[in-house]
Amino acid sequence: MTHEAPATLILSAAYCGQELRAEFGRLPPSFLPVGNKRLFERQIEALNGSAPLWLTLPDDFEISLSDQERIAAAGAEILRLDPSLSLAASLEQALHALDISGAVRILHGDTLVQGLDLSAQDTIAVESSSDHYDWAFCEMSEGRLRISEGPRDGVSRDVICGYFHLSDANLLSEALRETGRFTQALEHYGASRNLETVRCSEWLDFGHLATFFRSRRNLLTARSFNNLQSDGQEIIKFSDDTAKIRAEAAWYRALPTTLTMNTPRYLGDSDQNFKAGYRLEYLYLPTLADLFVFGRLPDNVWLRVLNCCADLLDTVAEHSPHSGSPESSPEFAARYHQDMTIAKSRERLEKFLDSRGWNLETAFSLNGGEECRIGEVLETALSCLTPTGPAEIRLVHGDFFFGNLFYDTRANRVIMVDPRGHINGGEACVYGDIRYDFAKLAHSVIGCYDHIIAGYSQLTRKGPTDWAFEISHTSGYAALVEAMFVCADQRVQLGRRELLDRVILLFLSMLPLHADSRDRQDHLLANALRLAKMAGDLEP
């Protein structure tokens, strides 16, 4: 068939190389995580909704329902191909399978380009680079495009970026069959068509481990978001909530030397524009949220990661308040339990319910189950908690979940950022109930908080309070949940029921903090109901 608009192909039918696979698991390049999205979402967006558009993927790659929906919502279709095919053979097969004969746009699956004239035909995007990679380099010689491959030490050359707009797909197919190599096919094509090189405003290469993290840095740190700024060397966190930022900075300064390897280097205060701030070393590492939501790491790797998190919490818990200090008293422990657990949970849930016209008597039904009052869910969870005593008061992070944890695969080390550093809405304090940190970890592992925030949950409203809810997670989820239960029980004697109840309270108390999205609030509430059902099933 011949399309009025040029067909567009994103070529992602082969899996990532070994370095990226070791970091993220067996993924096609377009499925790599970039800023709480998969790369294909940014690629399709950069192509300005070019239609018709196909994303080629390995024929043995399992795609979650959420990813299928995202691809479809972006206006793309999936074409399955054999991942063992060469680039040339894969492209030739795609052109044949889709019967593309006219103009075609091609984007490599590990590439993101921006600032191009997408209507210009017979063009190849290039960018100058002296990096030492096995890229394809091109130059014009005697009016023809010449392409060479392999690294160029210290020499700046024009690199083929991975975007092509060719006017004759039939001619390209013939060149691919005749030469068997993509770069040679381009030269062959160029002998019949006047190919021109064009430069993009931004080229981001995600095909190598080093360029992946550099490209992700360039894409995300060039923008200021969530009160963060970065130049790729350091990151500055700032806010007009002076007490909060001062408390976080004080937490970094108060860290024992045994924990400095588990945080970025603290680089001092950085107040600006009447806002308090502090500076940290920029980390070229993935967060555990990236790996858990978007990655495909084997179960044994995740068990190692979980133990690494627990080992870090053990090291944190080795540090308790000095004997005789206010924080070591029974009164402090009792106040912590009352303020940070009981009062906070009740006040925040009631604030959320009031904003939605509901109350503690409002009953919900989830996934066809019996109705339950939301107030009953809250009070049941609270009643199952063991109060905080002086023995539980230790140094804490205060927000120990996957989104605040980076993982260094080479050192098998977890690095934590964004500590709470305060209690009671502003009182600076580095101490708290160590079980809270374990519950925050569990709210990522068992509660799948990071999946919900990234949009990997589905909620169907059969009625105002009659919902169907599910989360798209990896096949090894059940094993990791079991490991989390065992870990919490062994490390802090936190049994399954109490661990779940603490996680339920976290989800209930966070609801008013997500007032910017009513839909996300509903997903978080539905998840609390899911966990309450799980907790109820543990009872005799």
Side-chain angles (χ1 to χ4, degrees):
M1 57 184 172
T2 301
H3 302 292
E4 293 182 3
T8 301
L9 295 174
I10 300 177
L11 303 180
S12 192
Y15 288 100
C16 292
Q18 184 57 45
E19 280 189 325
L20 285 165
R21 193 180 304 181
E23 200 83 18
F24 298 103
R26 195 166 181 254
L27 291 173
S30 285
F31 272 62
L32 288 168
V34 182
N36 219 31
K37 292 183 178 181
R38 293 204 187 272
L39 180 54
F40 70 73
E41 296 180 76
R42 299 186 180 276
Q43 291 171 321
I44 295 173
E45 181 182 353
L47 292 169
N48 293 330
S50 300
L53 188 151
W54 287 271
L55 172 64
T56 70
L57 293 173
D59 57 17
D60 60 350
F61 179 66
E62 294 184 13
I63 309 176
S64 70
L65 176 61
S66 292
D67 282 324
Q68 293 179 45
E69 292 175 345
R70 290 182 181 211
I71 292 170
E77 297 183 53
I78 297 171
L79 176 64
R80 297 286 198 162
L81 295 171
D82 184 347
S84 67
L85 293 175
S86 67
L87 176 60
S90 185
L91 174 56
E92 197 279 325
Q93 193 172 109
L95 294 172
H96 176 75
L98 300 172
D99 194 20
I100 299 173
S101 58
V104 60
R105 298 187 184 100
I106 300 167
L107 180 70
H108 288 342
D110 58 6
T111 298
L112 184 62
V113 291
Q114 301 186 42
L116 286 171
D117 178 3
L118 299 176
S119 66
Q121 295 189 355
D122 288 327
T123 55
I124 297 177
V126 299
E127 187 59 67
S128 179
S129 176
S130 60
D131 282 351
H132 187 75
Y133 289 106
D134 288 329
W135 284 328
F137 300 84
C138 69
E139 60 184 354
M140 299 301 294
S141 176
E142 299 178 354
R144 288 187 56 182
L145 183 71
R146 303 294 182 185
I147 300 175
S148 58
E149 297 179 272
R152 294 291 184 272
D153 293 338
V155 178
S156 183
R157 299 278 297 277
D158 279 346
V159 179
I160 295 178
C161 297
Y163 171 81
F164 315 86
H165 187 172
L166 307 178
S167 64
D168 192 339
N170 280 338
L171 180 59
L172 175 61
S173 293
E174 293 172 6
L176 291 167
R177 286 193 298 269
E178 182 173 328
T179 64
R181 289 183 62 83
F182 180 71
T183 53
Q184 291 178 6
L186 286 176
E187 283 192 340
H188 190 283
Y189 181 97
S192 301
R193 295 289 187 274
N194 183 28
L195 280 176
E196 295 184 357
T197 59
V198 294
R199 297 186 184 277
C200 47
S201 62
E202 187 173 38
W203 169 45
L204 301 174
D205 176 66
F206 296 89
H208 306 273
L209 188 61
T211 61
F212 171 87
F213 284 112
R214 188 171 64 194
S215 294
R216 191 175 71 162
R217 174 204 69 189
N218 291 344
L219 181 66
L220 300 179
T221 64
R223 302 158 175 82
S224 174
F225 62 99
N226 292 336
N227 292 329
L228 297 177
Q229 288 181 348
S230 177
D231 59 3
Q233 300 298 318
E234 62 182 29
I235 190 164
I236 302 173
K237 182 174 182 180
F238 56 92
S239 172
D240 52 13
D241 188 341
T242 301
K244 175 179 181 295
I245 291 296
R246 293 281 190 257
E248 290 183 22
W251 184 90
Y252 283 107
R253 292 193 299 269
L255 273 183
T257 55
T258 53
L259 289 168
T260 55
M261 293 292 288
N262 296 103
T263 63
R265 282 180 290 181
Y266 174 73
L267 303 175
D269 292 345
S270 183
D271 297 352
Q272 54 182 288
N273 299 323
F274 307 105
K275 294 183 178 181
Y278 61 87
R279 296 156 46 234
L280 298 173
E281 169 193 13
Y282 182 88
L283 297 176
Y284 286 83
L285 296 170
T287 66
L288 288 181
D290 283 338
L291 299 180
F292 195 39
V293 177
F294 301 105
R296 293 288 177 92
L297 292 172
D299 294 356
N300 65 306
V301 174
W302 271 112
L303 294 176
R304 184 169 70 241
V305 170
L306 182 59
N307 280 317
C308 192
C309 291
D311 288 343
L312 175 55
L313 287 179
D314 282 348
T315 304
V316 171
E318 291 174 359
H319 304 278
S320 54
H322 294 296
S323 177
S325 67
E327 294 84 0
S328 67
S329 68
E331 291 76 16
F332 178 88
R335 180 163 61 93
Y336 182 95
H337 181 69
Q338 176 62 35
D339 293 349
M340 297 297 292
T341 303
I342 299 175
K344 185 177 75 171
S345 298
R346 286 177 175 156
E347 290 170 4
R348 286 190 176 179
L349 178 59
E350 290 178 4
K351 179 180 180 181
F352 162 74
L353 292 172
D354 184 63
S355 73
R356 303 294 288 272
W358 295 329
N359 57 52
L360 293 173
E361 297 301 315
T362 301
F364 292 83
S365 176
L366 189 73
N367 296 331
E370 294 182 3
E371 285 191 343
C372 61
R373 293 184 302 103
I374 192 62
E376 182 181 352
V377 173
L378 170 69
E379 295 304 327
T380 298
L382 288 172
S383 69
C384 293
L385 301 188
T386 304
T388 302
E392 284 78 41
I393 296 297
R394 307 293 177 89
L395 176 67
V396 293
H397 177 274
D399 205 10
F400 197 85
F401 76 104
F402 279 175
N404 285 340
L405 303 175
F406 292 83
Y407 185 57
D408 186 342
T409 57
R410 298 151 204 77
N412 191 34
R413 178 187 304 145
V414 170
I415 298 176
M416 49 188 172
V417 298
D418 286 352
R420 183 187 301 275
H422 67 274
I423 57 175
N424 297 335
E427 178 186 344
C429 183
V430 299
Y431 298 107
D433 191 331
I434 189 61
R435 297 173 301 179
Y436 184 87
D437 274 352
F438 266 90
K440 288 292 287 191
L441 179 61
H443 110 299
S444 279
V445 177
I446 301 174
C448 294
Y449 169 80
D450 310 280
H451 288 76
I452 297 171
I453 296 303
Y456 281 82
S457 57
Q458 296 83 41
L459 177 65
T460 303
R461 298 171 179 83
K462 301 177 181 180
T465 58
D466 182 8
W467 299 340
F469 179 73
E470 63 178 327
I471 300 172
S472 297
H473 41 59
T474 60
S475 59
Y477 173 67
L480 195 59
V481 168
E482 176 64 23
M484 182 71 235
F485 280 132
V486 173
C487 182
D489 193 23
Q490 291 179 343
R491 307 278 183 147
V492 288
Q493 288 73 57
L494 195 55
R496 294 179 181 229
R497 179 61 200 252
E498 183 169 354
L499 178 62
L500 278 175
D501 284 317
R502 288 182 178 273
V503 174
I504 291 166
L505 293 173
L506 288 174
F507 277 96
L508 293 177
S509 64
M510 73 174 66
L511 290 170
L513 306 182
H514 292 266
D516 60 308
S517 172
R518 291 169 66 93
D519 184 64
R520 192 190 314 123
Q521 284 180 319
D522 286 352
H523 283 242
L524 295 169
L525 175 56
N527 196 45
L529 298 173
R530 176 184 73 89
L531 295 168
K533 174 65 166 59
M534 186 186 299
D537 289 343
L538 293 177
E539 294 179 339

